[in-house]
Amino acid sequence: MERLTNTIRPYAWGSTTAIPALLGIAPTGEPQAEMWLGAHPGAPSHLARGPLDAVVAADPVRELGPAVVGRHGPQLPFLLKLLAAGAPLSLQVHPDLDQARAGHAAEEAAGIPADAPNRNYRDRNHKPELICALTPFDGLCGFRPPAETADLVAGLGVDSLKPYADLLHAHPEDAALREVLTAVLTADPAAVAETVAETTEAADRLGGPYAPYADIAHHYPGDPGVLAALLLNHVRLQPGEALYLGAGVPHAYLNGLGVEIMANSDNVLRCGLTPKHVDVPELLRVVRFNATDAAVLRPEADPDGEEVYDTPAAEFRLSRLVLAPDGAPRDLTSAGPQILLCTAGRIAAGELTLGPGDSVFVPAGDKAEISGAGDGAGTLFRAMVPA
C-alpha cells in the first residue's frame, strides 16, 4: 500500500470550508471543490515513485492486473473524488458508451481541439457515477412525472410558465418532457430572464418544495437552467446514502460533502446553471426523456460487515467499512487495483496510519490489511474494479 498525494480543484462552486474541515486544516478562503484520487491525466494522484498515471502506464499489468487490463485497457478505469458543493453545479447529463465513441470520433474528424470550450466529447468513454453523502447532501436527479411538475409549476402563479404547465398536461410523458426542455433552452434569452426573475420571487415567497429552486435561481439569475431544474426531482441524502447516475439522466449537485466515484471520463453535456458551452441539439439527443424516481441507494452489508453500494457500473465498485479500534485486522487483498480513503477516525493500513482525507493506492495483488487505529471507530471507503 502506497500513500497518495492528491490535488484539490478550486472550482467556483466549491465549498470554502468542507474539505478543509475534513482534512483538519485551515480554510484558505478560496473554493475547494473536489479532491481527485486516481490516474486521470488532468490531476493525477502522486505516489513516492511518481504520478499515478505514469506509474500505471509504465507497467499496466503489474499495477492493474491482467483481468482489468483485458477488460478496460491499460488505464485505471475509475476516478474517486471528495466533492464539496457550496453552490449548485451545472445541470448536466452524460452520454452512453456508444454515444461517447461516436461523438468523440465526429469531433476529432471535425478538427475541434481537445481543450476547445465548445468540445462535448473529450474522450471515448461514458461516465456512470455514484455520489455517497458524508453530510446532508442536496441534489436534483431525473425527471419528475410531468403531471406532478405541471402542478408544481402552476402553484407558482407565474403567467409566463402557464404554457409549460399546459404542455406537461397535454402530451405523453416523453413528448411533454422533450417539448418543455426544448422550449426552455431555445426561448428568447430576455424573455427567459424575465420569467426566471418572476419564478424566483414566487419561489422565495412560497418556500417549502420551492425553496431548493429559489436557492438555485439566486446563484444563477436569469439562467434558463433554473426553469429546466423545475422538471427534476429534488432529493436530500443523509450521510451514508447515495445516488447512482447512469447515461442520459439529467442531474445537478446542489450542496454538501460526499465521496464520488465514476468511470474515468470528462464527457459532460450541460443543460444550464453554467456560463460554459451548452450544445442544445446534442444535449437533446443524449437526454433520456422518461420520468424516474430519485432512488436513494443504501449500502448492503456482506457477511464480514463491508457495506457495498451496488450499481451496474463495470468500471467501479464502492464500499464502506467502519472499523472498531479493537477489531481484528481485515484483509482486503484483491486481484485488481484499489484506492482506500479514510473519512473519519484513524485507520492502520499496513505500516501506514490514515486520518480523515488520507488515502492509499493498492496495486493489483498487493497485500492490503487494515484495522482501526484510533480511540473510536474509523471509516474507510474502498474503490475497486468489480470482478
Side-chain angles (χ1 to χ4, degrees):
M1 288 186 278
E2 303 171 82
R3 188 181 296 274
L4 292 172
T5 301
N6 305 301
T7 297
I8 295 176
R9 311 304 295 266
Y11 304 135
W13 50 261
S15 168
T16 60
T17 58
I19 288 179
L22 181 75
L23 301 180
I25 60 176
T28 64
E30 298 299 317
Q32 298 190 41
E34 295 180 346
M35 185 171 80
W36 287 23
L37 300 89
H40 192 286
S45 300
H46 283 249
L47 309 169
R49 53 195 173 115
L52 184 53
D53 58 339
V55 168
V56 169
D59 194 349
V61 172
R62 165 68 188 93
E63 304 299 333
L64 307 179
V68 169
V69 172
R71 290 198 306 272
H72 300 287
Q75 62 180 2
L76 187 67
F78 62 80
L79 176 63
L80 186 68
K81 298 180 180 180
L82 272 176
L83 183 146
L89 282 67
S90 61
L91 189 60
Q92 59 189 256
V93 296
H94 305 303
D96 64 27
L97 192 55
D98 289 341
Q99 290 166 337
R101 289 174 175 170
H104 183 266
E107 291 185 339
E108 288 286 289
I112 302 173
D115 59 352
N118 63 328
R119 182 89 187 219
N120 295 317
Y121 298 98
R122 301 184 186 278
D123 54 66
R124 301 179 69 253
N125 205 7
H126 63 165
K127 194 185 177 189
E129 63 188 40
L130 174 78
I131 183 78
C132 176
L134 295 178
T135 67
F137 193 99
D138 285 279
L140 304 176
C141 178
F143 289 112
R144 189 188 298 106
E148 293 180 20
T149 297
D151 292 341
L152 185 79
V153 168
L156 287 163
V158 175
D159 287 344
S160 53
L161 290 177
K162 187 176 184 303
Y164 301 136
D166 291 343
L167 284 172
L168 291 167
H169 274 307
H171 291 279
E173 176 179 287
D174 58 344
L177 294 170
R178 179 181 290 276
E179 264 193 77
V180 173
L181 185 61
T182 302
V184 164
L185 296 181
T186 58
D188 174 70
V192 167
E194 185 175 342
T195 298
V196 170
E198 294 175 7
T199 299
T200 306
E201 182 181 350
D204 277 332
R205 183 179 69 254
L206 294 167
Y210 298 103
Y213 305 98
D215 183 64
I216 293 168
H218 285 296
H219 283 287
Y220 296 97
D223 193 304
V226 173
L227 304 183
L230 288 168
L231 299 170
L232 305 187
N233 298 293
H234 171 251
V235 61
R236 165 161 276 208
L237 301 177
Q238 296 304 317
E241 296 179 334
L243 286 174
Y244 174 73
L245 298 156
V249 177
H251 62 278
Y253 302 145
L254 304 180
N255 187 273
L257 177 67
V259 174
E260 185 181 32
I261 190 168
M262 63 193 65
N264 200 2
S265 172
D266 260 346
N267 287 327
V268 175
L269 289 141
R270 296 176 178 85
C271 313
L273 310 182
T274 178
K276 295 181 179 179
H277 176 60
V278 177
D279 183 338
V280 174
E282 187 65 12
L283 169 73
L284 295 173
R285 195 177 70 82
V286 168
V287 170
R288 297 184 180 176
F289 289 98
N290 57 287
T292 58
D293 290 331
V296 174
L297 183 62
R298 296 176 179 87
E300 298 181 5
D302 70 12
D304 295 322
E306 183 175 357
E307 300 173 322
V308 179
Y309 294 89
D310 187 31
T311 79
E315 292 83 1
F316 61 78
R317 173 187 182 269
L318 186 71
S319 61
R320 183 180 65 171
L321 299 100
V322 179
L323 302 168
D326 55 354
R330 294 285 305 275
D331 185 359
L332 302 183
T333 304
S334 170
Q338 303 180 73
I339 291 178
L340 309 179
L341 168 66
C342 176
T343 59
R346 297 281 168 183
I347 302 289
E351 297 180 355
L352 303 173
T353 300
L354 308 182
D358 291 336
S359 58
V360 294
F361 174 68
V362 188
D366 277 19
K367 182 74 171 177
E369 188 172 87
I370 61 164
S371 59
D375 295 332
T379 301
L380 188 80
F381 281 85
R382 181 190 191 194
M384 58 189 299
V385 183

